[in-house]
Amino acid sequence: MNIRALLAAPLACALPFGAALAAPQYTITDLGTFGGKLSQAPRINEAGDVAGFSASAGATALKPLLWQDGLGLQELPTLGGTHAQAINLNDVGQVVGLSFLADETATRGFVWRAGAAPLALPTLGGGTGRALAINNSAVVTGASAQANGNELGFVWQDLPAPAVDTFATLRTFNATGVRSQGSDINEAGQVVGFADNAPRSFHAALWSPPYTALPTDLGTLGGTHSEAYAINANGQVTGYANITGDTGHRAFLWRAGQGMTDLGRLTTTSNFSEGYDINLAGDVVGYSTTAGDGARRAIIRKAAATAMADLNGLVLPNTGWVLTEAYGINDIGQIVGLGTLTRTNTLANTITVERHAFLLNPDTTLPTITCPANVTTNGTQPAGLGTATAIDNLDSAPVITNNRPATFPAGKNTVTWAATDANGNRATCAQTVQIGQADTTPPVVNYTVSPAAPNGLAGWYTTAVAVTWQVSDPETTVTSPACAAATLTDGAAKTASCAATSTGGTTNRTTTAVKIDTVKPVFTGVPAAMTVSATGSTGAFVSYTAPTATDATSGLAGTVSCLPASGANFPMGTTNVTCSASDNAGNAQTASFAVTVADTSAPVITPAVTGTLGSNGWYRSAVNVAWTVTDGESAITSPACTATTLGNGTALTASCSATSAGGTATRTSTPVNVDTVAPTLAGVPAPLSVAATSPAGSVVTYASPTASDTGSGLAGAASCVPLSGATFPVGTTTVNCAATDNAGNRSTASFTVRVGDNTPPVITPVISGTLGANGWYVGAVTVSWTVTDAESTASACAPGSTSLSGLGQAFSCSSTSAGGTATTNVSVNVDLQSPSFLSCPATVTLTQGQALPQPAASDNLGTPVVTGAPASLPLGTTTVNWRATDQAGLSATCVQQVTVNAAATETIAITQAVCTRVSATQGQWTVAGTSSMRTNNTVQLYTTPTVPANLASNRLGTPRTVSTNGTWRYATSNGPACVTPISLRTSATGTSRNNLTVTLR
């Protein structure tokens, strides 16, 4: 069974398996229900509080519960729904679980705290969620549905404002996994549960904070699936794992570095066991099936045991209980789980079987023991002492022992009797055995000390004091061990004690208090050896801070004294200063340090820096550094320092070293920056020649040169005058450019700009004439020219003309000024002749439906467009106006009188219409038929379902002539692609037939 499916626990009424295999070790408590027949207790905390749920009367609701010793069952609130389950709790009483919402369809994980409403946890986008565990830091784990329906485990923590609650997902083993669940969490934040490693395949998993990495795969016992239910503070994990071949699964214990261990099963034919919880000691509880998998039994596998034990055999028999599953165990060994409870009512002759949560408490009750009566003899050994009796709450036969000696000494003796039950609980009682007359006088205790008297001052010992004891009793033997000799060490009131016992009683003796101080005073702050500069030939007056002394036992006798004293004149050389101190016990201590008087002053070195100072602290010339060396106490023994010249560079320095009897001094000059080189100008433009744009000259732009400086760096970009973009006058202008570096060095360069006329004249043609259509002129054309030059005088062009018709007649103009020569060409189209009709009969007679022939027209420069009106002709005589128009817009007209006579009725029939496909674009056609109009008549076929408006388009073959017997036929082996339907039209009457079906083959 999966602990996440607690409601599916089986109902088992069989007798406990192996119930008599061991002595009872636990008492059992029924945790009860809320009136229903079911309750469950998934977890217990270290305080013995239990989280679970119970069915209500009539099983109308599942209610979350908290059970506490002395308070019993307490119903917890839900998130608004009827059903909820409390699944786990921490040691501070915070409870987690799952609850339906008010709509009774969605579920949420919740956290309950005493005195507050339950807090609903968020989901990962789906409609369900559950909280399965919470540690003492209030970090919660569980599982939630996503929007796609797949479930992922989560870790949630409620953080104080303004921090944002954390909500991390528990990753699967790889990208193919879609499910995970967090089942338990320890105080280190380690989470165990399961995760997919492939579709529909999952393994026990372990995640560690901050939960961003992939989980650790805890493996299996050879099968394909495993799941972890619990983890303890040591990181040990339990759960279940499939065995090889997936023929069953076993409870396991997983330890880091050791992997997964099979915890076994109750019998060799049991195929299933699971570990639900593990405590700090490594004890695992869960269940195992019985022989042949007939039923489930609650089990415990102690860490020190080699096999699991059936808990039914560790409680009193015949209580009506069958313990089926153990869900939780705390560190003191309390166990909670699920069992079936059978109650027999002999008066009502009824038997009820219900599933209840239980609590097992390890047996800690002491047996009750009663000693036999006291025994007194006249001095002889007793024949017997009698027998002690004992009873126990679980063990029917506690083991009774006593400490009777082989021979009792004379006097009063005590015999201790003990009763120990099977769980190690031990109770005692005492029996008195009196042998002969009673001794009423306790032992005599005396002592001696060494040294016998204080060997220091003021009653103090300055060495350790030895104490020796003398114990005697003339009546009976001293039964207590002899008092050992004692050595007393430092202290203001040190004593030793001795206690001696015989049958006459006990004597307690304590020595007189003595004062002992064996430790000399302790100096602190003793100055280190020091060297002082001489102030004259006789040395120097030296002051120092005298050390202090302390004594932790007898205390200092006076103050610390030092010679020579602080402030005295110390001669040249080294003098030892000695300090002394004594304590009140007479212990003396000394300390010393050395004072050396010597010449300690090295020469004084002063640099002098000269040079040309530029800008920004830079020198623009080489810098000279000279040195002055002095020593007021002794002669300079080293060679004099020579002057140094510093060239270009930054942070340049010079150094000087000088030695006297006082030592050697070294001085480095203050760093200086030197730059003697002016900037370099690059990219200076070559002389420019620019065309004038007006009499004032022209705006001229140029690329300014760039500057660089490898020493102090540029103090700004290179600048030029006149500026680029200024108006330069006609003629030649010099542009001057300059650049300055940060040291003040300056470079210059220049170039010239000449402004002149470089632009040829501008020529514009002016065309005069009558403009017709489409850019054609329809009369004589004259072309004149406008010539301009803003900078100099330009030559003129004579006008040209034409009175001839023609396309693209060319005219040209060339003009020259100081800026050069320009040429412009232009062409014109001229049409001076209108089109004419080649024939236009004055009268035309037509039969109704017959088309009116269009008159033909011609033009000297192309084919004119002929149009006529009206477009349709009624029966009778109508005037038709024709117009021919050429591309220049010139036109000619003619007029006809058209008479339209009524047409005879024409009957068309199709006798054959077949097309055989040759290819996607070619067909073999045969279409034949008859017409009632047998003279001057043709039939035109079309590839469209209806006759098109443009009768010249979509034709199928050429017009077919109707024979004198009224038949017509179209046949070809190389026709267009086969289509259906088609259409036709006749010429005699204009009769049309549409949607003619063609048989396709």
Side-chain angles (χ1 to χ4, degrees):
M1 188 188 91
N2 191 311
I3 198 168
R4 292 177 291 119
L6 294 172
L7 291 178
L11 183 64
C13 301
L15 289 175
F17 174 82
L21 295 181
Q25 297 178 12
Y26 298 91
T27 59
I28 187 166
T29 300
D30 180 3
L31 299 187
T33 72
F34 288 135
K37 297 183 178 180
L38 169 69
S39 63
Q40 296 210 35
R43 282 293 188 267
I44 184 170
N45 67 11
E46 296 309 315
D49 301 335
V50 179
F53 54 92
S54 168
S56 62
T60 58
L62 278 179
K63 299 180 178 182
L65 66 84
L66 174 66
W67 184 93
Q68 294 176 298
D69 189 19
L71 299 176
L73 291 182
Q74 304 166 62
E75 182 178 343
L76 303 183
T78 73
L79 295 177
T82 303
H83 306 290
Q85 299 176 13
I87 296 176
N88 213 324
L89 75 171
N90 60 17
D91 293 336
V92 295
Q94 296 169 319
V95 179
V96 296
L98 66 92
S99 172
F100 278 89
L101 303 181
D103 60 7
E104 301 292 358
T105 59
T107 63
R108 293 289 186 274
F110 70 80
V111 178
W112 176 85
R113 301 174 177 89
L119 173 65
L121 301 186
T123 71
L124 296 174
T128 60
R130 58 186 175 275
L132 298 177
I134 181 171
N135 66 12
N136 291 340
S137 299
V139 183
V140 179
T141 189
S144 168
Q146 303 175 89
N148 61 9
N150 293 327
E151 286 191 344
L152 283 180
F154 66 79
V155 175
W156 175 90
Q157 186 172 20
D158 184 16
L159 297 176
V164 178
D165 296 349
T166 61
F167 194 61
T169 57
L170 299 179
R171 300 177 61 184
T172 59
F173 291 115
N174 51 49
T176 62
V178 297
R179 298 176 305 152
S180 65
Q181 173 179 289
S183 298
D184 197 15
I185 183 170
N186 65 10
E187 295 311 308
Q190 294 176 298
V191 174
V192 294
F194 72 87
D196 284 354
N197 59 358
R200 296 181 298 279
S201 177
F202 56 88
H203 279 192
L206 184 149
W207 296 266
S208 297
Y211 315 111
T212 54
L214 295 175
T216 299
D217 188 342
L218 304 189
T220 72
L221 294 173
T224 58
H225 301 301
S226 62
E227 183 171 358
Y229 289 144
I231 182 170
N232 66 12
N234 294 326
Q236 297 173 316
V237 181
T238 191
Y240 78 90
N242 282 20
I243 60 175
T244 303
D246 292 330
T247 56
H249 58 248
R250 302 283 189 272
F252 70 76
L253 172 64
W254 181 91
R255 290 165 288 190
Q258 301 181 47
M260 190 175 286
T261 301
D262 186 342
L263 295 183
R265 47 193 170 157
L266 284 178
T267 73
T268 57
T269 60
S270 301
N271 291 314
F272 301 97
S273 64
E274 297 186 21
Y276 285 154
D277 200 9
I278 182 170
N279 64 10
L280 185 61
D283 300 334
V284 173
V285 295
Y287 84 87
S288 171
T289 55
T290 58
D293 301 326
R296 295 188 180 195
R297 292 292 179 263
I299 60 93
I300 184 169
R301 169 69 182 264
K302 294 261 181 108
T306 58
M308 59 179 56
D310 185 345
L311 286 172
N312 289 280
L314 302 180
V315 297
L316 287 173
N318 304 317
T319 60
W321 280 96
V322 175
L323 310 182
T324 57
E325 291 175 275
Y327 293 136
I329 182 171
N330 62 16
D331 292 344
I332 63 174
Q334 291 177 295
I335 300 171
V336 291
L338 175 68
T340 58
L341 179 58
T342 303
R343 293 190 179 101
T344 302
N345 187 331
T346 55
L347 294 177
N349 195 26
T350 59
I351 297 177
T352 59
V353 179
E354 298 180 356
R355 291 183 297 168
H356 283 202
F358 65 77
L359 167 64
L360 299 184
N361 282 297
D363 179 25
T364 59
T365 302
L366 302 182
T368 300
I369 184 170
T370 302
C371 276
N374 295 335
V375 175
T376 300
T377 73
N378 58 3
T380 61
Q381 296 295 309
L385 300 181
T387 302
T389 60
I391 58 174
D392 186 70
N393 62 326
L394 295 180
D395 191 348
S396 60
V399 176
I400 299 175
T401 59
N402 63 48
N403 64 344
R404 170 179 176 166
T407 302
F408 285 101
K412 183 180 179 181
N413 299 276
T414 300
V415 175
T416 300
W417 293 80
T420 306
D421 65 18
N423 298 311
N425 300 304
R426 184 174 184 270
T428 62
C429 64
Q431 178 188 27
T432 299
V433 177
Q434 178 69 43
I435 306 298
Q437 184 64 37
D439 180 6
T440 61
T441 304
V444 176
V445 179
N446 293 307
Y447 68 91
T448 58
V449 298
S450 178
N455 55 4
L457 302 176
W460 284 86
Y461 286 87
T462 58
T463 60
V465 175
V467 179
T468 305
W469 300 95
Q470 298 85 41
V471 180
S472 62
D473 191 317
E475 299 174 301
T476 56
T477 302
V478 177
T479 57
S480 63
C483 293
T487 300
L488 304 180
T489 57
D490 289 38
K494 302 293 288 189
T495 61
S497 296
C498 173
T501 302
S502 68
T503 56
T506 298
T507 298
N508 291 299
R509 180 74 184 272
T510 301
T511 64
T512 301
V514 294
K515 300 186 295 182
I516 305 172
D517 183 358
T518 64
V519 180
K520 297 177 180 181
V522 176
F523 279 104
T524 57
V526 177
M530 63 181 71
T531 298
V532 180
S533 296
T535 58
S537 60
T538 61
F541 290 93
V542 178
S543 295
Y544 57 83
T545 300
T548 60
T550 58
D551 190 85
T553 307
S554 61
L556 284 178
T559 60
V560 176
S561 63
C562 297
L563 290 175
S566 176
N569 184 64
F570 282 66
M572 296 290 288
T574 301
T575 302
N576 286 323
V577 178
T578 301
C579 301
S580 60
S582 298
D583 63 19
N584 289 312
N587 299 302
Q589 182 65 288
T590 62
S592 64
F593 60 95
V595 175
T596 300
V597 178
D599 179 6
T600 61
S601 299
V604 176
I605 305 174
T606 304
V609 179
T610 59
T612 301
L613 187 63
S615 302
N616 304 308
W618 284 80
Y619 285 88
R620 294 193 293 112
S621 68
V623 172
N624 184 72
V625 182
W627 304 94
T628 301
V629 180
T630 61
D631 191 315
E633 299 174 8
S634 60
I636 305 300
T637 59
S638 62
C641 294
T642 59
T644 302
T645 299
L646 304 178
N648 288 327
T650 59
L652 302 174
T653 61
S655 296
C656 171
S657 292
T659 302
S660 69
T664 299
T666 300
R667 177 74 182 272
T668 300
S669 64
T670 300
V672 296
N673 300 324
V674 180
D675 183 1
T676 64
V677 181
T680 300
L681 286 170
V684 179
L688 301 178
S689 180
V690 180
T693 57
S694 69
S698 178
V699 174
V700 178
T701 60
Y702 56 82
S704 297
T706 59
S708 61
D709 190 86
T710 58
S712 59
L714 292 174
S719 60
C720 297
V721 178
L723 298 174
S724 176
T727 299
F728 281 64
V730 175
T732 300
T733 301
T734 299
V735 179
N736 295 306
C737 302
T740 304
D741 63 19
N742 287 314
N745 301 304
R746 189 171 187 270
S747 294
T748 62
S750 64
F751 62 94
T752 60
V753 176
R754 188 190 70 81
V755 178
D757 181 6
N758 296 330
T759 306
V762 176
I763 304 173
T764 304
V766 180
I767 303 174
S768 302
T770 303
L771 188 61
N774 302 312
W776 285 77
Y777 289 89
V778 294
V781 173
T782 298
V783 179
S784 58
W785 307 92
T786 300
V787 180
T788 59
D789 192 316
E791 301 162 13
S792 60
T793 302
S795 60
C797 291
S801 63
T802 181
S803 298
L804 301 176
S805 295
L807 176 68
Q809 299 185 59
F811 297 86
S812 180
C813 171
S814 291
S815 176
T816 302
S817 70
T821 298
T823 299
T824 300
N825 299 310
V826 68
S827 63
V828 295
N829 300 326
V830 181
D831 187 359
L832 304 177
Q833 182 178 341
S834 300
S836 61
F837 282 96
L838 299 178
S839 64
C840 187
T843 61
V844 178
T845 300
L846 301 174
T847 302
Q848 184 181 13
Q850 186 177 2
L852 174 63
Q854 185 183 81
S858 64
D859 186 72
N860 63 323
L861 294 175
T863 301
V865 176
V866 178
T867 59
S872 61
L873 300 174
L875 294 176
T877 299
T878 303
T879 299
V880 177
N881 297 302
W882 296 95
R883 178 178 295 277
T885 306
D886 66 13
Q887 58 186 345
L890 301 174
S891 62
T893 62
C894 74
V895 179
Q896 291 180 326
Q897 299 298 319
V898 180
T899 301
V900 179
N901 298 319
T905 302
E906 182 179 8
T907 302
I908 300 294
I910 302 300
T911 59
Q912 185 180 15
V914 177
C915 182
T916 301
R917 289 187 179 92
V918 177
S919 68
T921 60
Q922 182 181 354
Q924 182 176 334
W925 288 85
T926 300
V927 182
T930 61
S931 172
S932 60
M933 297 296 291
R934 301 181 179 184
T935 59
N936 299 323
N937 192 15
T938 61
V939 175
Q940 176 62 59
L941 298 171
Y942 296 94
T943 59
T944 55
T946 59
V947 175
N950 183 0
L951 298 178
S953 63
N954 303 106
R955 290 186 171 188
L956 179 59
T958 59
R960 315 312 294 170
T961 302
V962 179
S963 66
T964 56
N965 61 2
T967 63
W968 57 270
R969 185 173 188 271
Y970 167 72
T972 180
S973 61
N974 190 25
C978 295
V979 294
T980 185
I982 62 175
S983 57
L984 64 79
R985 185 180 186 276
T986 65
S987 62
T989 62
T991 300
S992 298
R993 291 285 304 278
N994 297 321
N995 294 309
L996 303 175
T997 301
V998 178
T999 301
L1000 302 179
R1001 298 177 178 172

